[in-house]
Amino acid sequence: MPKQPERLFPFASRARILVVGRENLARLRKTLHFVLITNDISDNSRREIHSDYAGIPIVQRYSSEQLAGFFGFRNCKVIGFRKSDLAVSILRELKNSSPE
């Protein structure tokens, strides 16, 4: 049974590897390991993210309410994870775990 990636989210918050906000994501693009987008993001925004961050893995999972519960960011639909061993582990577990 694959491990659930949510168990690592508190560590990501504490390690300060999260990047929130479109401006911050654009500014720190070269430091990103992957981008997490929500299931309730608009199709237009999803297309923009995919074109703006081509070459960076993009994972679509969770709702914006779930992200608020995990990280405390309200109305957030896009979160970047900076390059780190923790981000590698989270991405691996997101890819190996089944979506809800």
Side-chain angles (χ1 to χ4, degrees), residues 42-92:
S42 70
D43 289 338
N44 195 28
S45 292
R46 185 179 48 77
R47 280 191 293 275
E48 277 182 31
I49 296 294
H50 278 280
S51 79
D52 291 347
Y53 301 97
I56 297 174
I58 298 172
V59 178
Q60 187 168 8
R61 177 92 52 96
Y62 309 115
S63 67
S64 53
E65 290 83 26
Q66 287 174 305
L67 285 188
F70 295 143
F71 302 112
F73 304 128
R74 296 270 171 228
N75 300 320
C76 180
K77 298 186 184 211
V78 181
I79 294 181
F81 288 76
R82 291 181 196 236
K83 293 176 183 174
S84 68
D85 291 338
L86 181 56
V88 170
S89 298
I90 292 171
L91 180 60
R92 183 181 318 118

Side-chain angles (χ1 to χ4, degrees), residues 4-18 33-34 71 80-94:
Q4 294 302 312
E6 297 86 14
R7 68 187 176 78
L8 297 175
F9 290 166
F11 299 108
S13 293
R14 270 186 247 136
R16 296 180 173 212
I17 63 168
L18 302 175
H33 182 66
F34 76 96
F71 302 112
F81 288 76
R82 291 181 196 236
K83 293 176 183 174
S84 68
D85 291 338
L86 181 56
V88 170
S89 298
I90 292 171
L91 180 60
R92 183 181 318 118
E93 289 189 16
L94 281 168

